[in-house]
Amino acid sequence: QRRQERDRVRTALQTLPEAQRRAIELAYFQGLTQTEIAEKLGEPLETIKTRIRMAMEKLAAMLPETQ
Amino acid sequence: MICSEFKELVGAYALDALDPLERAAAEAHLMEPRHEGCLQALERARAATLQLGGAVDDAGVPAHVWERIEMGLGPRRKRSWSAPAGWAAAAVLAVVVLLLLQQQGRLQREGADLRLSVQSATSSAGSSQELARQCAAQLDAERAGSAAAREAIALLERPGSRVVQFGGVGGAVQTAFAVIGDDGKRAILVSTTLAPTPERDYQLWVVPGGRGATPIAAGLVGAPAAGIAVTEFAAQALSAGAAALAVSAEPKGGSPTGTPSEVVLLAKVSG
């Protein structure tokens, strides 16, 4: 069951555009703020905010609370 | 901040990726009485965020959480996980003392009321025996809660004791402090938001130092007395020292796997 759960989450992440997935990975898996992500990637802060917003909207749709 | 603005950043809020000012504004907005879908949006974002950890490993514990502990924690989370210094530490200490003293005061008043109830009930006819039994059980709970609060205050007053503040993991909204003895062999959790439900318990964990360290179960968070949960970490779990303390949400009775199912709070202890 854990493997299925892991695969489901990984699949959801893989469906994101690369730039959005990268922003999510930096925020969640590396613990960076949006500002820190913008600095790290050399991108405008508003761009990062948009990427995270769009990515989270997609993930929320793909990963509804099932437990 | 208005609802549409909150919903724009709710994903980043759930990821704990907002800068401090934005986060404060978002939390202030959440305190407002009326919303247009904000709470639902937050629940959806949190549900997604909590599941992201499942992509990391089979244990269901976000690997970066433990890795960050081993590495001394990353730069950002220090703001909420580290033992605060200077005025911030004093502020945290004041909050803990206030919470504990409030609990003691309430418990003393409620205890007096309960004692009167027990006396009244036991002096009545046999039909009141059940009421007396229930009151006695509540009184026992009150005594236990009061004793735990006294223990926490006593530990806090000992030279060398300190307080660490837990930070939420994965958008968790719970808050807690831990009073830690000078030798690191005792730790008592104080929280106004952690409370077991019929379906869920909160479990304490000690994370020893060293790469690859496995979290050690340290007991379940007890039922709050007067709205404040005060629970001591199991002494044997602290015997080897702690790099961090954690609280996880678990099915009733505690983790079925022996590892944290869903870490909701973390506090760095050493380093």
Side-chain angles (χ1 to χ4, degrees):
Chain A
Q1 188 177 354
R2 284 192 187 282
R3 179 181 295 250
Q4 288 176 346
E5 178 67 14
R6 184 189 62 193
D7 291 346
R8 192 170 69 91
V9 176
R10 285 182 176 173
T11 299
L13 284 169
Q14 289 301 323
T15 63
L16 298 177
E18 170 62 27
Q20 292 179 17
R21 183 167 67 248
R22 180 73 174 138
I24 292 294
E25 287 171 349
L26 289 171
Y28 185 81
F29 296 104
Q30 292 194 27
L32 302 184
T33 66
Q34 295 181 123
T35 300
E36 290 166 340
I37 294 169
E39 290 170 356
K40 184 180 180 75
L41 298 180
E43 306 255 21
L45 176 58
E46 287 306 314
T47 300
I48 300 303
K49 287 184 175 182
T50 301
R51 286 178 188 167
I52 287 182
R53 176 174 56 78
M54 295 181 71
M56 286 301 292
E57 286 173 359
K58 291 174 187 171
L59 289 173
M62 288 186 284
L63 301 172
E65 194 165 21
T66 54
Q67 283 72 25
Chain B
M1 180 176 288
I2 60 176
C3 291
S4 60
E5 292 171 332
F6 176 82
K7 285 184 279 189
E8 286 277 309
L9 52 71
V10 68
Y13 178 70
L15 284 169
D16 195 17
L18 293 178
D19 292 311
L21 284 179
E22 281 183 313
R23 183 174 187 82
E27 288 173 347
H29 178 72
L30 284 172
M31 298 295 288
E32 293 174 8
R34 296 177 67 86
H35 292 281
E36 296 174 2
C38 297
L39 302 182
Q40 291 85 349
L42 179 57
E43 280 308 304
R44 291 178 71 230
R46 279 187 174 148
T49 302
L50 290 173
Q51 291 179 73
L52 287 177
V56 179
D57 60 19
D58 286 335
V61 182
H64 71 285
V65 169
W66 307 125
E67 287 171 5
R68 235 195 313 257
I69 291 168
E70 292 169 4
M71 292 185 301
L73 301 182
R76 181 168 71 89
R77 309 279 181 176
K78 279 183 180 173
R79 67 174 182 229
S80 54
W81 290 359
S82 301
W87 65 269
V92 169
L93 196 63
V95 170
V96 173
V97 170
L98 185 63
L99 287 175
L100 293 172
L101 291 177
Q102 276 180 341
Q103 187 193 44
Q104 268 203 325
R106 284 183 197 161
L107 289 171
Q108 283 166 359
R109 288 194 299 277
E110 290 170 8
D113 293 343
L114 282 167
R115 284 183 201 100
L116 286 174
S117 300
V118 170
Q119 288 167 3
S120 171
T122 50
S123 63
S124 302
S127 60
S128 297
Q129 284 182 350
E130 176 58 21
L131 176 62
R133 190 194 62 76
Q134 290 176 10
C135 286
Q138 288 183 56
L139 192 55
D140 284 344
E142 173 264 320
R143 283 176 179 147
S146 183
R150 279 198 297 272
E151 282 289 312
I153 291 174
L155 183 60
L156 195 58
E157 289 174 344
R158 290 178 59 175
S161 289
R162 60 201 171 104
V163 175
V164 295
Q165 185 173 10
F166 285 81
V169 176
V173 296
Q174 287 87 358
T175 58
F177 304 95
V179 182
I180 302 175
D182 59 335
D183 59 0
K185 302 302 182 190
R186 289 190 71 192
I188 300 177
L189 175 123
V190 181
S191 174
T192 56
T193 60
L194 289 174
T197 69
E199 298 81 29
R200 168 174 284 194
D201 270 325
Y202 289 99
Q203 189 160 6
L204 305 174
W205 300 88
V206 173
V207 185
R211 179 158 288 279
T214 302
I216 302 169
L220 298 178
V221 175
I228 303 173
V230 183
T231 306
E232 181 154 6
F233 284 74
Q236 65 269 26
L238 287 160
S239 60
L245 303 175
V247 180
S248 67
E250 302 290 347
K252 208 64 187 168
S255 169
T257 63
T259 59
S261 300
E262 178 190 334
V263 175
V264 294
L265 288 172
L266 266 174
K268 185 185 176 189
V269 174
S270 61

